[in-house]
Amino acid sequence: MNILGIETSCDETSASIVKDGRLILSNVVASSLKDHQKYGGIIPEIASRRQLEWINIVSTRALAAAGLALEKIDAIAFTRNPGLIGSLLVGASFASSLSFALKKSLIPVNHIEAHIYSNYLVDKKADEGQDLLEEFPLPAVGLVVSGGHSSLFFIKDFRTFRVFGQTRDDAPGEAYDKVARILNLGYPGGPVIDKLAQTVRDNDIRFSCASLEGTNDFSFSGIKTAVLYYTQRHSASKDFSIPRVAHAFQEGVVNVLVEKALLACRRKKATTLLIGGGVAANSSLRTRLEERAKAAGVRVHFPPLPLCMDNAAMVAGLAYHHASSVKKPAMC
Ligand code: KG4
Ligand code: ZN
């Protein structure tokens, strides 16, 4: 079954075709990130205008890259929520019009659940025979860490995602972006802070996140404020080092993510841990969690780097598991 997925929840406009919920035949992503950079964050009006311009082009390219005519598509999936309302509307309108015209099923998908699902996708250029579901069986604990979300899920099957922990304030990617702004590192903050942190070996600066003991929740706004106060107090000093501040901040964030994710696996008696979202691209999170999970007898999986960011392949992939319960054609 070939599903055309559409993703327009934030600054990306993406279309992808995924076969049978696992094999990516094409995945085209256009980002308006550059248009937002001078503002230091996403401007929703700009994002949705770009999506309106690009959605048709990106979808046509996805079909061409997969070598499929529109008639060979069995269903259309789109990101229904959460996201920027204007952006979501572009994707929902495009997908529902296509579904109506082609008389094919329309499958709405949750963006955060789709981030988790990106762990099970296989690229047609890579190992087509690989069965990631066999290597990382359900039930699993899922951790989504992005610019807008920080949630822990218990995943019984691909139709049953239960949230049992989330951030009480900022998302971790949001904290990265705010800390980058404090340190004048531009937007988005994650990749640049990650790169700077890797240059630091010894560091006597320490920042930590509130542990919120006894809960599965997170908090990332305190650590951002700690970086702000530290920078205000020390930035004039000759010893002030942006890489060391970036490193200390990253350590604080990664520590809490590693501890809480593994504690959640123990509490849920899960031996599979799936990570998703933009912050899943973080080098320190990947290394530390892999080491610690191995020692704890947990199999952790991160999506390949391009699938950590917003993309339509994760939408088309997850939609496969909802396809049987959707009537066709439907309007959203
Ligand atoms: O999942 P995503 O593309 O969009 C949302 O749904 O939010 O995530 C974007 C977020 C940004 O906040 C960005 O700073 C962060 O992911 N990010 C990173 C890294 N690469 C991107 N954070 C930490 N380390 C990275 N290497
Ligand atoms: Zn996302």
Side-chain angles (χ1 to χ4, degrees):
M1 182 181 204
N2 297 318
I3 298 187
L4 168 64
I6 303 289
E7 155 64 37
T8 59
S9 66
C10 192
D11 55 324
E12 274 83 19
T13 311
S14 178
S16 163
I17 293 148
V18 173
K19 186 177 174 199
D20 296 338
R22 63 178 288 280
L23 190 64
I24 304 174
L25 302 183
S26 64
N27 185 30
V28 179
V29 184
S31 172
S32 59
L33 187 68
K34 282 202 166 62
D35 297 333
H36 307 275
Q37 268 167 337
K38 62 174 176 279
Y39 304 104
I42 303 295
I43 307 294
E45 178 69 17
I46 295 178
S48 57
R49 280 175 188 264
R50 291 286 170 273
Q51 282 154 338
L52 210 49
E53 287 163 23
W54 292 344
I55 187 82
N56 197 21
I57 301 168
V58 161
S59 304
T60 309
R61 285 195 189 159
L63 285 163
L68 290 177
L70 204 44
E71 298 71 45
K72 295 285 177 206
I73 296 299
D74 299 298
I76 324 283
F78 70 100
T79 299
R80 178 166 62 184
N81 66 306
L84 304 171
I85 190 66
S87 295
L88 290 170
L89 256 173
V90 174
S93 313
F94 183 83
S96 45
S97 313
L98 212 50
S99 140
F100 191 69
L102 297 173
K103 298 187 175 52
K104 305 279 176 173
S105 306
L106 178 65
I107 310 171
V109 166
N110 178 287
H111 178 80
I112 314 180
E113 295 175 3
H115 266 304
I116 292 286
Y117 191 78
S118 58
N119 282 287
Y120 290 104
L121 295 168
V122 176
D123 198 290
K124 71 173 173 182
K125 290 180 221 103
D127 180 5
E128 289 188 26
Q130 196 179 12
D131 188 348
L132 289 163
L133 195 49
E134 218 165 73
E135 286 174 53
F136 299 91
L138 299 181
V141 164
L143 171 68
V144 176
V145 276
S146 73
H149 314 282
S150 175
S151 314
L152 277 165
F153 289 90
F154 182 70
I155 306 137
K156 200 166 123 249
D157 55 58
F158 292 128
R159 286 158 175 245
T160 325
F161 289 71
R162 299 253 181 274
V163 178
F164 67 98
Q166 49 197 327
T167 182
R168 295 200 181 170
D169 37 59
D170 291 351
E174 187 181 356
Y176 267 93
D177 297 338
K178 287 177 177 170
V179 164
R181 189 191 278 219
I182 293 166
L183 299 175
N184 273 323
L185 296 173
Y187 176 85
V192 59
I193 289 179
D194 191 4
K195 221 170 178 181
L196 284 176
Q198 286 175 48
T199 64
V200 176
R201 289 288 157 262
D202 297 316
N203 199 356
D204 51 6
I205 309 170
R206 298 271 180 280
F207 297 121
S208 54
C209 294
S211 65
L212 302 178
E213 243 166 82
T215 78
N216 294 301
D217 288 347
F218 302 93
S219 165
F220 296 101
S221 83
I223 192 168
K224 163 208 69 190
T225 310
V227 173
L228 175 68
Y229 290 163
Y230 181 91
T231 305
Q232 285 172 344
R233 249 182 270 129
H234 298 278
S235 59
S237 148
K238 65 174 178 35
D239 293 328
F240 183 74
S241 151
I242 290 179
R244 285 202 293 140
V245 174
H247 176 268
F249 162 74
Q250 176 154 295
E251 286 294 292
V253 171
V254 169
N255 282 343
V256 82
L257 291 175
V258 170
E259 293 309 323
K260 291 238 163 191
L262 292 176
L263 183 63
C265 289
R266 278 205 298 282
R267 285 189 174 144
K268 297 287 177 192
K269 298 185 175 43
T271 53
T272 300
L273 174 61
L274 306 166
I275 317 294
V279 183
N282 187 266
S283 61
S284 173
L285 180 65
R286 292 174 93 96
T287 321
R288 294 261 300 283
L289 202 45
E290 259 155 23
E291 280 167 15
R292 291 284 312 279
K294 202 169 177 191
V298 170
R299 289 165 166 240
V300 63
H301 194 263
F302 289 83
L305 291 183
L307 296 183
C308 289
M309 308 305 162
D310 290 349
N311 66 87
M314 64 188 194
V315 175
L318 179 57
Y320 176 75
H321 300 274
H322 295 293
S324 58
S325 59
V326 171
K327 289 191 211 97
K328 67 173 190 174
M331 296 298 281
C332 63

